[in-house]
Amino acid sequence: MYFCNALIFVLTLVSTVYACGGDGHNHAQHKRSPSSIPLTPPTSPLEWGDVNIIHTTDSHGWLLGHQKTSFPEPNYSGTLGDFASFVTHMKALAKKKDVDLLLVDSGDLHDGTGLSDGFPPGGIDAQDSNKFLLQLPYDTMAIGNHELYIYNDTLDMYKNFAPKLNGRYLSSNVNITLPDSNISVPVGERFRKFTTEKGRKVTALGVIFHFTANDKRTTVQAPADMVKEAWFAEAIQEEPDFFLLTGHMPVANDDWPLVFNAVRAVHPTTPIIILGGHTHIRDCNQPDGRSMALESGRYMETVGWLSAKLDQKGSTGNITFSRRYLDPNRVTYEYHTGVSSNAYDTAAGQSITQGLDNLAESFDLNFLFGTAPQDYSLSRSPYPSNNSLLSLFVGEVLPFALAINNSRASIPNIIITNNGPLRFDLYSGPFTKNDQLTASPLTDSFLYIANVTAGIANKVLPTFNNPGAIQRREYIERDVEMYRRGYVDMRYRAWLEGMAARASGIERRAAGNLTLGYVTNDSCPGVGDDTPHMPLPYFPVPHYIASPSPSVSDDTPVDIVFPDFIAARVLSVLNRIQTLKNYTSSDVASYSPLPADVVLGLYAQSKWN
Ligand SMILES: *[C@@H]1O[C@H](CO)[C@@H](O)[C@H](O)[C@H]1NC(C)=O
Ligand SMILES: *[C@@H]1O[C@H](CO)[C@@H](O)[C@H](O)[C@H]1NC(C)=O
Ligand SMILES: *[C@@H]1O[C@H](CO)[C@@H](O)[C@H](O)[C@H]1NC(C)=O
Ligand SMILES: *[C@@H]1O[C@H](CO)[C@@H](O)[C@H](O)[C@H]1NC(C)=O
Ligand SMILES: *[C@@H]1O[C@H](CO)[C@@H](O)[C@H](O)[C@H]1NC(C)=O
Ligand SMILES: *[C@@H]1O[C@H](CO)[C@@H](O)[C@H](O)[C@H]1NC(C)=O
Ligand SMILES: *[C@@H]1O[C@H](CO)[C@@H](O)[C@H](O)[C@H]1NC(C)=O
Ligand SMILES: *[C@@H]1O[C@H](CO)[C@@H](O)[C@H](O)[C@H]1NC(C)=O
Ligand SMILES: *[C@@H]1O[C@H](CO)[C@@H](O)[C@H](O)[C@H]1NC(C)=O
Ligand SMILES: *[C@@H]1O[C@H](CO)[C@@H](O)[C@H](O)[C@H]1NC(C)=O
Ligand SMILES: *[C@@H]1O[C@H](CO)[C@@H](O)[C@H](O)[C@H]1NC(C)=O
Ligand SMILES: [Zn+2]
Ligand SMILES: [Zn+2]
């Protein structure tokens, strides 16, 4: 269940304008670039090479862009339709420059917004939203772990998505066992060999990290084993003009070196381009002078750019690469394409955005629960504080929602949870069905243990957050285990923490009037961020959080309430801090029938109207 924690996503999309719109394109257009928010352009043109790549990864259903007006959301306000127009204009530029331009995606198309997750009962996650991605001219797309948690999602990719890509959907080390037989087959292709428009030969792979929380009847092979396969040796034998190692694996601290070295062992100097993903950060490194590895963030908050000036076959000197992390918005897109606003939209781009708007409508994603009075963030405000989403959730939302129609409501309680049920910030303004799905998607319900004296109950949270030596080792082991199961929040948070820490007072003053956003310090030469920003503030959060202690005497019996996925840990902690009673699962009962993904809506309906 820990994989649930991996769903710490970002999303928002419906603005006030949207809520009162409904008459088609003009409103939609207005909504996309709120005119009240001036967007600053990038600082310098992209560096083009002979081979150029536009890269997306971990889009997680954010296909209508980020539509809230609080910073830094407008920076990521481009829709998939705006992006499609961008790709079209960039392709035209490439033609004019007589160079190659490829489009690549590194996976995780499922789980993140109402567009992917807001489907009616009986539907399949992202089945509708993925159809819009198929309208873009992707050269390779790789499978991600979020395509593999639920067998039916994987089956949909196998049956309906991969065939449309006609050999361009890559799953080098992922198989699915077919429903009507016990035959295991790759979900897409294991590799793709193709020739670019300018006649360059490419060998592409689509490799996922060693993921272990995949559903039954799907198979993930460790990259270490994949590189020993006969098909792999055969696929890389022939020398292309360059290798395109696409895959759902971070470019640092994972298994890319295994794949890279396996290729290098056969081809010591052939250019290698790695396009990774999964940890939701902007990152880049160069395994050697003739290769570059790029990772392009998450949630359509980043579009990656990589270019290479290839030399003659057989050369051994360093290749000139460049990389850039673009903030996906119309200003960025218009700046780099040189196409002015009124000429920018292509018919295909407009139809994609319109189609996504229609999808949002058919999923009723604009359903309004209430109007949030302010922003609540996961890591930009301290916990506890009035601007912390964690404080709001455990201090107000859960105590309110779990008391509804609950016969135990009058018994004092302590509600304990980790941040697992929350995946994205909550912004001021309309709080809709889409916002609810984005902020808190888990369907886990809440359990309780009765009759714990307040004195003992008050010790549970500190014990969770201050583990002893043995438990600390368990935590580290659990982190490794959680990473294998797809949990990436610790890596994403470490990245945020690093950029906030680097921004010393001096840097902050020099930043002058820069806007908030990502500030990337990767291992590639030069500056990566296309638009300079001042880093987002970062505050650490404890592993576990709790509602305020009830003001009762230590010997008063209280209920301990918690989400089902931490039940075993609550029992273990209770048995560690007291010896009067051996708590077992028979002491645990259902506290409320309400799942975690409805509590914010119930709260908003009552308090924000
Ligand atoms: C980012 O958003 C802020 C407002 O939140 C805006 O002032 C800034 O210009 C934006 N930057 C870009 C590159 O869009
Ligand atoms: C998967 O899809 C099949 C066929 O549509 C359906 O019968 C089954 O209930 C689905 N399973 C789950 C877990 O949703
Ligand atoms: C698939 O394998 C299972 C377990 O090994 C077996 O029970 C089942 O009969 C097999 N189905 C087919 C169609 O071979
Ligand atoms: C994947 O499917 C292929 C084709 O059926 C099979 O040869 C291979 O053994 C499978 N790989 C794994 C890791 O299951
Ligand atoms: C070539 O690139 C490698 C790796 O990036 C670097 O260590 C080396 O100094 C470069 N050599 C030259 C001559 O620039
Ligand atoms: C937080 O909110 C409470 C209740 O609205 C208020 O009393 C308190 O002053 C606020 N604290 C801060 C630091 O704004
Ligand atoms: C609480 O009970 C009332 C009356 O039975 C019902 O209308 C309402 O939907 C219930 N609320 C929730 C959140 O289940
Ligand atoms: C709580 O304890 C009281 C007295 O010790 C007992 O009567 C009651 O049955 C207990 N309730 C539960 C739910 O265990
Ligand atoms: C602040 O913004 C103004 C106007 O956009 C610009 O001229 C100036 O260079 C900026 N200052 C800094 C430190 O970026
Ligand atoms: C940026 O990262 C590099 C390592 O990639 C490190 O050497 C350097 O000190 C970092 N810069 C700052 C300002 O922290
Ligand atoms: C507590 O109960 C569990 C389950 O019945 C049992 O396995 C365990 O040995 C018990 N521990 C103690 C200390 O009695
Ligand atoms: Zn992801
Ligand atoms: Zn992932």
Side-chain angles (χ1 to χ4, degrees):
M1 312 216 185
Y2 302 132
F3 83 87
C4 299
N5 293 338
L7 310 175
I8 310 293
F9 299 144
V10 180
L11 167 88
T12 48
L13 76 103
V14 185
S15 72
T16 347
V17 181
Y18 192 80
C20 62
D23 65 347
H25 197 71
N26 286 340
H27 270 105
Q29 209 46 46
H30 175 62
K31 162 185 60 136
R32 298 302 159 218
S33 319
S35 53
S36 55
I37 293 159
L39 295 186
T40 50
T43 42
S44 63
L46 295 170
E47 262 176 68
W48 288 73
D50 313 303
V51 171
N52 306 278
I53 298 175
I54 296 173
H55 182 220
T56 54
T57 188
D58 295 272
S59 51
H60 289 288
W62 284 82
L63 305 185
L64 276 172
H66 295 238
Q67 299 299 334
K68 298 294 182 185
T69 51
S70 301
F71 68 80
E73 295 301 284
N75 300 94
Y76 320 128
S77 57
T79 67
L80 187 70
D82 297 335
F83 179 64
S85 302
F86 174 67
V87 171
T88 300
H89 298 312
M90 292 295 277
K91 287 264 184 193
L93 271 181
K95 210 172 195 96
K96 213 187 281 175
K97 292 173 190 285
D98 199 29
V99 295
D100 279 317
L101 176 63
L102 304 180
L103 180 61
V104 172
D105 182 82
S106 295
D108 271 5
L109 308 181
H110 293 83
D111 304 329
T113 76
L115 291 169
S116 50
D117 311 350
F119 55 88
I124 294 178
D125 190 277
Q127 187 176 51
D128 294 297
S129 52
N130 282 349
K131 287 178 187 149
F132 295 96
L133 285 163
L134 289 171
Q135 296 183 37
L136 279 84
Y138 277 101
D139 293 282
T140 57
M141 296 186 99
I143 198 164
N145 55 305
H146 279 268
E147 277 74 76
L148 298 170
Y149 285 111
I150 294 173
Y151 178 79
N152 277 356
D153 294 354
T154 317
L155 187 62
D156 181 49
M157 298 309 275
Y158 172 80
K159 283 207 310 208
N160 303 316
F161 192 77
K164 302 259 169 33
L165 278 159
N166 195 20
R168 289 172 284 130
Y169 192 61
L170 302 179
S171 66
S172 302
N173 55 340
V174 182
N175 274 17
I176 181 166
T177 303
L178 298 179
D180 306 326
S181 63
N182 282 338
I183 300 171
S184 170
V185 295
V187 179
E189 298 298 320
R190 283 168 159 167
F191 60 91
R192 175 180 186 223
K193 293 188 180 188
F194 64 101
T195 305
T196 65
E197 283 190 15
K198 302 308 306 167
R200 293 187 178 87
K201 285 187 171 169
V202 185
T203 298
L205 297 172
V207 187
I208 194 170
F209 73 103
H210 188 188
F211 173 53
T212 60
N214 52 306
D215 204 357
K216 288 193 286 287
R217 297 169 74 80
T218 68
T219 315
V220 174
Q221 185 181 40
D225 295 325
M226 180 197 75
V227 299
K228 294 179 198 144
E229 293 272 359
W231 72 260
F232 179 82
E234 217 169 288
I236 65 165
Q237 193 54 48
E238 184 190 4
E239 188 187 13
D241 288 300
F242 64 95
F243 284 93
L244 185 64
L245 307 185
T246 313
H248 198 72
M249 178 149 72
V251 298
N253 303 313
D254 210 312
D255 284 341
W256 275 122
L258 292 174
V259 187
F260 178 85
N261 292 338
V263 174
R264 267 288 169 264
V266 184
H267 303 288
T269 59
T270 311
I272 298 178
I273 294 170
I274 296 177
L275 295 160
H278 180 59
T279 45
H280 294 176
I281 69 174
R282 296 176 172 188
D283 200 7
C284 180
N285 62 65
Q286 288 195 261
D288 63 23
R290 298 182 63 77
S291 58
M292 180 174 267
L294 178 72
E295 180 173 350
S296 303
R298 63 165 200 183
Y299 302 166
M300 295 308 283
E301 293 170 350
T302 301
V303 165
W305 170 262
L306 185 150
S307 74
K309 292 181 176 144
L310 295 188
D311 44 18
Q312 294 297 314
K313 222 175 185 141
S315 306
T316 57
N318 282 359
I319 289 174
T320 303
F321 288 98
S322 83
R323 60 83 184 78
R324 198 77 73 81
Y325 308 103
L326 277 55
D327 288 353
N329 59 58
R330 300 269 307 211
V331 174
T332 295
Y333 292 155
E334 287 168 20
Y335 176 91
H336 287 303
T337 55
V339 179
S340 67
S341 194
N342 49 3
Y344 181 80
D345 292 294
T346 63
Q350 282 181 320
S351 121
I352 288 172
T353 299
Q354 188 60 57
L356 286 161
D357 281 339
N358 295 345
L359 179 62
E361 201 152 307
S362 73
F363 284 179
D364 199 17
L365 299 183
N366 310 325
F367 177 84
L368 188 67
F369 288 109
T371 304
Q374 59 163 84
D375 296 344
Y376 299 92
S377 84
L378 286 170
S379 61
R380 266 177 246 159
S381 340
Y383 173 83
S385 78
N386 283 359
N387 303 314
S388 161
L389 181 56
L390 300 170
S391 291
L392 177 77
F393 189 70
V394 78
E396 296 184 45
V397 173
L398 289 179
F400 168 81
L402 299 182
I404 297 173
N405 296 348
N406 192 334
S407 59
R408 298 194 69 82
S410 61
I411 299 166
N413 66 40
I414 296 183
I415 304 170
I416 296 178
T417 179
N418 62 7
N419 58 19
L422 298 172
R423 74 176 164 190
F424 192 55
D425 299 335
L426 196 163
Y427 288 100
S428 77
F431 182 78
T432 64
K433 177 182 173 190
N434 188 60
D435 298 319
Q436 175 174 272
L437 284 167
T438 303
S440 183
L442 301 191
T443 52
D444 296 77
S445 59
F446 288 82
L447 308 175
Y448 79 111
I449 296 173
N451 270 3
V452 181
T453 57
I456 299 294
N458 281 330
K459 287 188 189 151
V460 173
L461 180 69
T463 308
F464 264 128
N465 284 328
N466 297 302
I470 293 173
Q471 237 189 324
R472 195 162 290 128
R473 197 167 62 231
E474 280 171 15
Y475 270 58
I476 291 165
E477 281 163 12
R478 188 179 293 155
D479 270 6
V480 173
E481 153 85 2
M482 283 165 77
Y483 182 76
R484 285 277 158 257
R485 297 179 64 82
Y487 178 86
V488 295
D489 201 41
M490 67 287 229
R491 295 258 188 119
Y492 176 71
R493 279 177 181 276
W495 183 58
L496 292 180
E497 189 168 15
M499 72 180 72
R502 279 195 308 276
S504 61
I506 292 166
E507 211 171 306
R508 281 200 185 272
R509 275 194 299 281
N513 45 11
L514 295 183
T515 58
L516 291 177
Y518 293 129
V519 181
T520 309
N521 177 39
D522 59 23
S523 310
C524 286
V527 174
D529 295 316
D530 191 44
T531 304
H533 291 292
M534 192 156 67
L536 302 160
Y538 175 84
F539 295 90
V541 292
H543 281 91
Y544 291 87
I545 53 178
S547 58
S549 301
S551 36
V552 295
S553 63
D554 273 3
D555 57 357
T556 309
V558 305
D559 289 341
I560 298 186
V561 180
F562 47 87
D564 53 16
F565 54 88
I566 64 168
R569 279 172 276 168
V570 172
L571 287 171
S572 137
V573 164
L574 268 181
N575 286 330
R576 192 168 308 166
I577 59 179
Q578 60 80 45
T579 51
L580 292 171
K581 178 175 161 62
N582 180 19
Y583 284 95
T584 68
S585 54
S586 63
D587 298 304
V588 178
S590 168
Y591 188 73
S592 161
L594 299 177
D597 66 352
V598 305
V599 296
L600 278 168
L602 289 169
Y603 179 84
Q605 240 163 356
S606 163
K607 309 285 184 188
W608 290 345
N609 264 309

